[in-house]
């Protein structure tokens, strides 16, 4: 028995089923590679689900964390605050788009950031309804489950969910949902289900993560901005997965030139340490009374120190430009593969947030979740860590650290192509039999 199989058995006995895991038990990690407890090396195209944009254990992040740990590790910002929190808020207020005064609140997870953005929008507007989108993912707490537009594995069996959450269609050109159709769906919602004057917020991922790396067209985001202005609705951009240099700009909504009122971020911000934030218009952020926002650990000093280092590294190493390069290289490889293999129906994404969709037939576009799972398994056997996504679990997403050396990226892409060919060969042989 290997250490990994032993750990799998111990996990099954000690940890609830609901906490789904893959089979690789990590022993150590460095930049874009990790090694499991049995000494096997893997190339990491998952980056802890878009957290390690600056790579595993970036030396500057590690040094900042070590230095902060020598000073103090926790006081609770509400009890005895510290300068680094205020300075990080100042930095994010300057980085987030919008030519108006902004304020920032720190929390621990992406879900908590979304929860707080909704709290703030409701307090500010004195309205209750919230509109989110089909295929969107916003977290696993009750409100964020309600906001999520993907039933499995996030919603099944966990209801009832908080009321006053409505879902509209997210544009998906590959599946024939145009901007015009998505806007017509919102219109249907406003006429059939909820008065726009009762809507506190529209919440959208400019690039859907768990939903399948669907990129919201710029004209759709602009139209949402106009609707929000028309009806006094708070526009919230969820940049938890697409933010922090991942798409080739600091925030993915910047590609569309649209300015949200509030923005949620997490994942890449802490470079591997749990930190999330809500940044937005000071007039909206200041609505709630003192004590209404926050929490024991929100903006923990170790995580804040890590985030300062992450922002420094993004700037010093030009990681926005690197994201564009890494993404372009991935797309070139995948588009070449798609020309040879009809199972790849679509290649899409933005910057280094790249995905390909697996279909049983390119004409019917019937999703192929079995092939997707097989690709992940073959990749893992070859030493490459991949993630799937999409409401039908038929999309493979690539989220390599932006600091990945060229040679490791090439090696990973070679393994990826081999894994797709292995899986497709096996799957199509199975289909014929
Ligand atoms: C867009 C988006 N929002 C919110 C979340 C929830 O973040 P967390 O898992 O840190 O609660 C995620 C997580 O994947 C996400 O991708």
């Amino acid at each position: 028995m290997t250490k990994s199989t032993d750990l799998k058995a111990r996990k099954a006995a000690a940890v609830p089923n609901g906490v789904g895991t893959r089979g690789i038990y990590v022993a150590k990690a460095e930049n874009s590679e990790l090694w499991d407890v049995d000494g096997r090396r893997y190339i990491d195209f998952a980056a802890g689900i878009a957290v390690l944009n600056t790579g595993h254990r970036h030396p500057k992040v590690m040094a900042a964390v070590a230095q902060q740990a020598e000073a103090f590790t926790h006081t609770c910002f509400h009890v005895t605050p510290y300068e680094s929190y205020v300075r990080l808020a100042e930095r994010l207020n300057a980085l987030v788009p919008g030519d108006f005064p902004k304020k920032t609140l720190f929390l621990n997870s992406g879900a908590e950031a979304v929860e707080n953005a909704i709290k703030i929008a409701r307090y500010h507007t004195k309205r209750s309804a919230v509109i989110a989108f089909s295929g969107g993912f916003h977290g696993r707490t009750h409100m964020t489950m309600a906001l999520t537009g993907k039933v499995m594995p996030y919603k099944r069996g966990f209801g009832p969910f908080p009321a006053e959450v409505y879902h509209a269609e997210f544009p998906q050109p590959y599946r024939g949902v145009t901007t015009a159709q998505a806007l017509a769906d919102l219109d249907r919602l406003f006429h059939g289900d909820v008065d726009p004057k009762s809507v506190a917020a529209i919440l959208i991922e400019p690039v859907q993560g768990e939903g399948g790396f669907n990129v919201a067209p710029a004209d759709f985001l602009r139209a949402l901005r106009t609707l929000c202005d028309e009806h006094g609705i708070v526009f919230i951009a969820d940049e938890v997965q697409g933010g922090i240099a991942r798409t080739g700009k600091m925030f993915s909504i910047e590609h569309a030139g649209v300015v949200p009122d509030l923005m949620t971020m997490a994942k890449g911000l802490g470079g591997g340490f749990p930190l999330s934030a809500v940044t937005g218009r000071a007039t909206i952020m200041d609505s709630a009374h003192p004590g209404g926002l926050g929490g024991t650990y929100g903006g923990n000093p170790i995580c804040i120190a890590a985030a300062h280092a992450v922002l420094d590294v993004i700037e010093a190493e030009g990681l926005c430009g690197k994201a564009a390069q890494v993404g372009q290289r991935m797309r070139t490889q995948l588009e070449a593969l798609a020309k040879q293999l009809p199972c790849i129906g679509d290649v899409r994404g933005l910057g280094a947030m790249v995905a390909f969709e697996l279909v049983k037939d390119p004409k019917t576009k019937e999703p192929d979740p079995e092939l997707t799972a097989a690709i992940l398994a073959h990749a893992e056997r070859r030493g490459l860590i991949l993630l799937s996504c999409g409401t039908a679990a038929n999309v493979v997403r690539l989220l390599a650290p932006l600091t990945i050396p060229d040679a490791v990226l090439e090696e990973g892409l070679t393994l990826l192509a081999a894994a797709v060919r292995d899986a497709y060969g096996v799957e199509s042989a199975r289909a014929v039999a």
Side-chain angles (χ1 to χ4, degrees):
M1 197 186 241
T2 63
K3 287 182 187 162
S4 302
T5 47
D6 179 45
L7 277 165
K8 266 187 239 175
R10 282 175 53 200
K11 185 263 171 184
V15 181
N17 268 337
V19 184
T21 51
R22 303 270 293 279
I24 301 165
Y25 277 81
V26 60
K28 64 173 182 163
E30 205 66 52
N31 197 359
S32 49
E33 295 161 87
L34 60 81
W35 289 263
D36 76 3
V37 286
D38 294 303
R40 275 207 70 189
R41 167 185 174 261
Y42 294 86
I43 292 176
D44 189 0
F45 274 12
I49 321 189
V51 166
L52 300 153
N53 294 356
T54 46
H56 289 276
R57 304 181 67 256
H58 191 289
K60 287 196 177 140
V61 175
M62 299 316 291
V65 162
Q67 195 186 353
Q68 180 59 47
E70 287 300 317
F72 58 95
T73 61
H74 175 80
T75 61
C76 183
F77 188 71
H78 303 291
V79 181
T80 48
Y82 29 92
E83 186 267 349
S84 58
Y85 182 119
V86 179
R87 188 160 37 90
L88 190 64
E90 290 165 349
R91 290 183 82 174
L92 292 181
N93 294 341
L95 279 171
V96 166
D99 192 12
F100 42 76
K102 281 171 241 130
K103 293 204 172 180
T104 292
L105 153 78
F106 292 107
L107 304 136
N108 304 289
S109 67
E112 221 187 331
V114 174
E115 289 272 353
N116 278 274
I118 303 294
K119 278 172 66 173
I120 293 164
R122 282 180 164 170
Y123 204 111
H124 175 74
T125 58
K126 302 186 176 57
R127 303 172 179 182
S128 53
V130 183
I131 294 176
F133 291 88
S134 58
F137 177 71
H138 301 286
R140 288 180 171 85
T141 58
H142 265 82
M143 185 63 189
T144 57
M145 275 195 292
L147 292 161
T148 289
K150 181 175 172 184
V151 170
M152 276 301 283
Y154 307 118
K155 297 176 84 153
R156 178 174 293 169
F158 294 121
F161 304 113
E164 289 294 314
V165 173
Y166 302 87
H167 285 97
E169 197 84 52
F170 192 95
Q172 248 185 304
Y174 178 62
R175 298 257 160 217
V177 185
T178 62
T179 291
Q181 282 164 331
L183 288 173
D185 196 52
L186 256 176
D187 198 51
R188 172 199 59 78
L189 205 64
F190 284 159
H191 284 94
D193 288 319
V194 60
D195 178 359
K197 298 288 180 217
S198 307
V199 177
I202 292 183
L203 168 71
I204 189 164
E205 294 162 88
V207 185
Q208 286 190 330
E210 307 303 303
F213 282 22
N214 302 303
V215 182
D219 58 350
F220 183 67
L221 293 171
R222 280 196 294 270
L224 289 185
R225 179 68 270 177
T226 305
L227 276 174
C228 286
D229 291 340
E230 217 173 285
H231 299 292
I233 298 169
V234 176
F235 187 128
I236 308 174
D238 183 346
E239 293 271 358
V240 166
Q241 193 156 154
I244 318 294
R246 171 54 57 186
T247 66
K249 291 195 184 283
M250 196 59 190
F251 303 106
S252 63
I253 199 163
E254 291 178 74
H255 290 275
V258 169
V259 174
D261 298 305
L262 302 182
M263 182 184 282
T264 55
M265 59 198 107
K267 292 190 185 279
L269 178 64
F273 293 83
L275 182 69
S276 66
V278 183
T279 299
R281 275 180 195 278
T283 45
I284 300 177
M285 293 294 292
D286 268 337
S287 305
H289 53 264
L293 304 175
T296 304
Y297 289 109
N300 168 273
I302 300 272
C303 306
I304 294 270
H308 277 293
V310 163
L311 296 184
D312 293 345
V313 168
I314 288 172
E315 186 160 0
E317 298 185 15
L319 291 189
C320 286
K322 186 78 192 307
Q325 277 167 29
V326 167
Q328 193 48 53
R329 180 65 197 98
M330 287 173 163
R331 285 183 86 106
T332 305
Q333 170 92 352
L334 288 170
E335 278 158 11
L337 206 58
K339 284 205 182 94
Q340 298 157 13
L341 304 177
C343 60
I344 300 181
D346 193 28
V347 176
R348 58 175 178 259
L350 200 56
M353 202 171 172
V354 179
F356 56 102
E357 175 153 355
L358 283 314
V359 291
K360 293 193 172 148
D361 176 335
K363 286 200 187 72
T364 64
K365 299 182 182 176
E366 186 188 341
D368 198 339
E370 296 81 17
L371 177 60
T372 309
I375 291 171
L376 263 57
H378 277 281
E380 194 169 304
R381 249 171 260 139
R382 285 177 176 271
L384 175 68
I385 302 174
L386 294 176
L387 290 170
S388 61
C389 60
T391 40
N394 70 320
V395 180
V396 175
R397 55 177 152 169
L398 311 184
L399 286 165
L402 307 177
T403 47
I404 189 169
D406 289 347
V408 181
L409 175 61
E410 290 308 320
E411 191 186 344
L413 289 175
T414 304
L415 294 177
L416 173 66
V420 177
R421 284 183 207 286
D422 287 350
Y424 186 54
V426 172
E427 291 297 307
S428 39
R430 207 180 284 158
V432 172

